[in-house]
Amino acid sequence: GKGAEGAKKRESGGGGPREGEGRLPRMSLEGLLKFGDDECVFVEHEPVPWEQATPLDIEEWKTLFDKEGRLTSIETVKRRAYYGGLAPAVRREGWKYLLGCYPANSTRKERELLLAAKGKEYENYRRQWESITLEQEARFAKFRERRHRIEKDVIRTDRTNPMFADDEGEGLRRLNNILLTYSFYNFDLSYCQGMNELAAPLLVVMEDEVEAFWCFQRFMDITEPNFHKDSNGMHTQLQLLRHLCQSLEPELYAYFEAHECSNLYFCFRWLLILYKREFALGEVLRLWEALWSRVRGENLHLFVAVAVIRNHKQHIVAQDMGFDEVLKYVNDLAGRLDLTQTLRDADMLVQRHYHNTA
């Protein structure tokens, strides 16, 4: 399946996993559920309550660098990004640290040189498709098909955002350039529907084609398995989500099994594009910062899914919903979810699961 297009085929199937449908053994699942990384140790409690956490603003941001422009504590940035998010004025630089574009110990001068080198690298990739002549294109069916798919998706991307409102505007042109250039950067993956949803907010924040491409490249390093044509990446995520749901909400999972919903394919869109359509843009940016911080490991997005399902289980059960009804219900939640409450609930679920399996 091609990204979101594959979701429709899966969502329409309903039912639980077929016999032998890639069930991972428990130990394998636990091994995949990581709760932190080498740079950011799992922290059980933050002194500042969620309700009182404030975004990392530009004044505080400036205090985090030494005289040569080195960031003095990447852990501080990650924890602030997780609990309070980054202020809009900080995001353009802060995201490059969260996504690993900038080495945490780089000086100001080293970052300037790195950005210049990345600009040249981007232009090299972009020239590869810009230099294709009409005669070449006539004999290059894969390129024609790829470009057509990108153009078709770009024209429908975030059109209510001022950056993408104009059919002939710079925003859509730059988004098109980024996606087409990425398909030449990553020939094996190329382009899949849904990548446009991930790239657009990066362009809004970076306001620069080269920087947005660089961040998108790093973002895709994280999410690439979601778009593999064999769908193994999404199957693995759904298996992990089933495992978490069964562990944290056993009664609800039993309900889903009895109503042929236990494949949890109604969560497919959430996981594929990381809740891009479920929240307003500002909240999506805040959520992605929490995910990229890895303060709660690399699977926080799965706990977010459990938190949302958990908060709506009474209605789902009371209405005796089957797969089609649950799918419609969760899709209709878009724009109606409370992000702060959802993050707080997901955080609580991570800690509960961590203690249950420690």
Side-chain angles (χ1 to χ4, degrees), residues 93-159:
E93 290 300 292
W95 280 20
K96 297 191 191 87
Y97 283 98
L98 292 178
L99 286 166
C101 299
Y102 285 158
N105 63 346
S106 59
T107 65
R108 187 180 301 106
K109 183 63 176 177
E110 287 169 342
R111 291 193 298 276
E112 289 172 0
L113 293 173
L114 181 57
L115 186 56
K118 286 296 178 181
K120 292 178 181 177
E121 182 182 320
Y122 176 73
E123 290 305 318
N124 288 337
Y125 291 130
R126 184 171 150 177
R127 274 198 295 269
Q128 289 179 23
W129 59 265
E130 286 184 324
S131 64
I132 294 174
T133 66
L134 292 175
E135 290 79 6
Q136 283 179 301
E137 187 174 330
R139 298 185 296 273
F140 198 169
K142 282 188 177 180
F143 174 70
R144 295 196 306 272
E145 186 267 340
R146 181 189 314 165
R147 189 173 68 176
H148 174 71
R149 280 194 290 124
I150 290 173
E151 289 174 350
K152 185 178 69 173
D153 288 346
V154 163
I155 201 69
R156 299 181 297 188
T157 304
D158 293 355
R159 298 306 302 275

Side-chain angles (χ1 to χ4, degrees), residues 218-236:
R218 301 295 298 205
F219 197 5
M220 286 305 302
D221 288 347
I222 301 169
T223 60
E224 178 176 337
N226 290 5
F227 298 97
H228 286 167
K229 290 179 172 59
D230 61 13
S231 298
N232 283 343
M234 288 302 298
H235 279 310
T236 298

Side-chain angles (χ1 to χ4, degrees), residues 87-310:
V90 173
R91 281 185 171 136
R92 183 168 179 175
E93 290 300 292
W95 280 20
K96 297 191 191 87
Y97 283 98
L98 292 178
L99 286 166
C101 299
Y102 285 158
N105 63 346
S106 59
T107 65
R108 187 180 301 106
K109 183 63 176 177
E110 287 169 342
R111 291 193 298 276
E112 289 172 0
L113 293 173
L114 181 57
L115 186 56
K118 286 296 178 181
K120 292 178 181 177
E121 182 182 320
Y122 176 73
E123 290 305 318
N124 288 337
Y125 291 130
R126 184 171 150 177
R127 274 198 295 269
Q128 289 179 23
W129 59 265
E130 286 184 324
S131 64
I132 294 174
T133 66
L134 292 175
E135 290 79 6
Q136 283 179 301
E137 187 174 330
R139 298 185 296 273
F140 198 169
K142 282 188 177 180
F143 174 70
R144 295 196 306 272
E145 186 267 340
R146 181 189 314 165
R147 189 173 68 176
H148 174 71
R149 280 194 290 124
I150 290 173
E151 289 174 350
K152 185 178 69 173
D153 288 346
V154 163
I155 201 69
R156 299 181 297 188
T157 304
D158 293 355
R159 298 306 302 275
T160 57
N161 187 294
M163 179 174 282
F164 306 114
D166 184 357
D167 284 355
E168 306 298 327
E170 284 292 297
L172 292 181
R173 186 184 64 79
R174 288 174 176 171
L175 181 59
N176 186 85
N177 290 346
I178 288 167
L179 295 171
L180 199 48
T181 302
Y182 183 81
S183 74
F184 276 73
Y185 166 80
N186 189 340
F187 281 106
D188 289 338
L189 187 62
S190 187
Y191 172 79
C192 300
Q193 190 177 38
M195 291 182 185
N196 56 311
E197 301 275 6
L198 301 183
L202 299 174
L203 186 56
V204 170
V205 169
M206 295 298 143
E207 299 181 328
D208 178 87
E209 190 174 318
V210 171
E211 294 178 36
F213 174 82
W214 191 11
C215 290
F216 179 64
Q217 172 196 327
R218 301 295 298 205
F219 197 5
M220 286 305 302
D221 288 347
I222 301 169
T223 60
E224 178 176 337
N226 290 5
F227 298 97
H228 286 167
K229 290 179 172 59
D230 61 13
S231 298
N232 283 343
M234 288 302 298
H235 279 310
T236 298
Q237 290 207 61
L238 288 166
Q239 286 171 331
L240 289 169
L241 182 57
R242 284 197 292 271
H243 169 68
L244 287 177
C245 189
Q246 190 170 20
S247 171
L248 295 165
E249 289 291 330
E251 292 182 4
L252 180 59
Y253 187 80
Y255 172 88
F256 285 147
E257 282 196 311
H259 289 73
E260 298 188 334
C261 302
S262 61
N263 56 22
L264 304 187
Y265 279 150
F266 50 83
C267 301
F268 193 99
R269 184 176 79 186
W270 296 353
L271 305 185
L272 179 71
I273 55 175
L274 293 174
Y275 305 92
K276 166 62 167 33
R277 296 186 188 173
E278 315 317 313
F279 297 97
L281 177 62
E283 292 182 319
V284 171
L285 307 184
R286 168 74 184 91
L287 172 60
W288 286 2
E289 288 163 355
L291 301 181
W292 294 337
S293 76
R294 296 202 170 196
V295 166
R296 289 293 185 247
E298 62 188 46
N299 289 299
L300 177 63
H301 62 296
L302 300 179
F303 290 90
V304 169
V306 177
V308 174
I309 296 168
R310 178 177 176 270

